Amino acid sequence: MLELRPGCECCDRDLPPGSREGFICSFECTYCADCAEKVLGGACPNCGGELVRRPVRPAAKLAANPPSTVRVFNPDGCRKAKAS
């Protein structure tokens, strides 16, 4: 099951589980649509993998399958991608 991390690793923008603005790689690194497209060019700065839209977990499933509360914030990785 996907972690559904709560925020963008680049800008720390909130990405609730129902948001259609979340993008992830195969390792579940998580970014907002703006950072994924405009800063990272669709590639994860951590693994180089493709960033795709994160699926939305149905609200009825959230109680039994809650999203992660652990925030990952790594703006340095995004700065490196921007400089490339």
Side-chain angles (χ1 to χ4, degrees), residues 2 7 12 15-16 23 26 35-36 50 56 62-63 68 71 76 82:
L2 293 174
D12 207 30
L15 294 169
F23 279 71
S26 64
C35 289
E50 176 185 21
V56 172
L62 288 173
S68 174
R71 292 187 88 88
D76 289 336
K82 203 175 201 179

Side-chain angles (χ1 to χ4, degrees), residues 46-72:
N46 301 319
C47 70
E50 176 185 21
L51 295 174
V52 297
R53 193 177 71 77
R54 182 181 74 181
V56 172
R57 185 165 299 156
K61 302 290 184 185
L62 288 173
N65 304 283
S68 174
T69 58
V70 177
R71 292 187 88 88
V72 177

Side-chain angles (χ1 to χ4, degrees), residues 4-84:
L4 296 182
R5 295 177 185 167
C8 176
E9 288 188 30
C10 281
C11 69
D12 207 30
R13 175 179 168 190
D14 288 339
L15 294 169
S19 172
R20 295 194 174 275
E21 296 293 311
F23 279 71
I24 59 172
C25 72
S26 64
F27 291 96
E28 297 185 57
C29 300
T30 303
Y31 305 95
C32 69
D34 285 341
C35 289
E37 295 165 3
K38 296 174 185 169
V39 176
L40 303 172
C44 178
N46 301 319
C47 70
E50 176 185 21
L51 295 174
V52 297
R53 193 177 71 77
R54 182 181 74 181
V56 172
R57 185 165 299 156
K61 302 290 184 185
L62 288 173
N65 304 283
S68 174
T69 58
V70 177
R71 292 187 88 88
V72 177
F73 183 48
N74 182 17
D76 289 336
C78 296
R79 283 189 206 102
K80 288 177 195 166
K82 203 175 201 179
S84 298

